[in-house]
Amino acid sequence: MITSKMQSAMNEQIKHETFSAYLYFAMVAYFHSQNLDGMAQWMKAQAQEELDHAQRFFNHINERGGRIELQPLDKPQAEWASPIAAFKAALQHEKFITGRINDLANLADEENDRASGIMLQWFVTEQVEEEDSVSRIISMLERIGDSGHGILMADRELGRRVAEA
Ligand code: FEO
């Protein structure tokens, strides 16, 4: 049985993961508005993975005999100054999520909740990958700068991504 402290912390995390999807769908819409359909495709795959992350917490609470309590979501930002500004905002958001995952892992230790600790290990690894992949895109866009040709090449490259979930 999940403890009430872990249940409410994971219910809160369902909100953060779902909001991640919401924010990234807002970026999908922004990239489409800029005719950057490849970047939109990359971010759509990212948003879909975030829904899978929310589902993992949902399932874990359920399987441990807990109760799901969905929280209200904030309205996400809709516009960014440039594609690189959107990816930088995504990285900043991922760093926030990493902090939340670390807090949950610490809580699992405090509560001696081994099942949650094991489940959260997947997320610890996932966050390393997520921060790394967004950081690489930012570096690529920084190298490209204002080159229209470079942006088109990057857009084509990023459009190859499909959701892993
Ligand atoms: Fe589910 Fe991108 O953190």
Side-chain angles (χ1 to χ4, degrees), residues 23-79:
L23 175 65
Y24 296 155
F25 279 130
M27 290 181 182
V28 172
Y30 162 72
F31 287 131
H32 278 310
S33 78
Q34 302 296 305
N35 296 317
L36 294 167
D37 293 342
M39 292 187 194
Q41 166 62 30
W42 190 95
M43 203 51 87
K44 187 175 159 198
Q46 185 72 14
Q48 285 165 338
E49 286 189 14
E50 297 303 348
L51 293 177
D52 173 67
H53 296 172
Q55 186 82 57
R56 283 173 185 253
F57 282 103
F58 192 106
N59 291 347
H60 184 78
I61 294 170
N62 249 343
E63 286 165 7
R64 304 281 310 285
R67 183 72 172 88
I68 308 297
E69 216 176 302
L70 297 178
Q71 313 289 322
L73 296 178
D74 291 333
K75 182 176 177 181
Q77 188 175 335
E79 297 291 341

Side-chain angles (χ1 to χ4, degrees), residues 56-156:
R56 283 173 185 253
F57 282 103
F58 192 106
N59 291 347
H60 184 78
I61 294 170
N62 249 343
E63 286 165 7
R64 304 281 310 285
R67 183 72 172 88
I68 308 297
E69 216 176 302
L70 297 178
Q71 313 289 322
L73 296 178
D74 291 333
K75 182 176 177 181
Q77 188 175 335
E79 297 291 341
W80 287 269
S82 60
I84 196 170
F87 280 104
K88 280 183 175 172
L91 179 59
Q92 195 182 8
H93 182 71
E94 286 303 329
K95 285 182 176 172
F96 165 74
I97 295 291
T98 299
R100 301 296 311 191
I101 295 292
N102 289 340
D103 288 348
L104 283 167
N106 289 338
L107 180 63
D109 286 346
E110 281 164 27
E111 303 265 290
N112 206 16
D113 182 348
R114 286 172 190 266
S116 294
I118 289 168
M119 179 262 189
L120 286 161
Q121 272 179 16
W122 183 89
F123 279 94
V124 171
T125 309
E126 175 71 6
Q127 283 311 118
V128 173
E129 282 176 24
E130 295 221 339
E131 286 191 27
D132 181 55
S133 63
V134 180
S135 295
R136 282 170 193 274
I137 293 170
I138 291 168
S139 300
M140 177 175 69
L141 293 175
E142 275 172 347
R143 277 200 306 276
I144 287 169
D146 290 333
S147 156
H149 179 68
I151 297 273
L152 280 180
M153 296 286 284
D155 188 59
R156 193 175 303 167

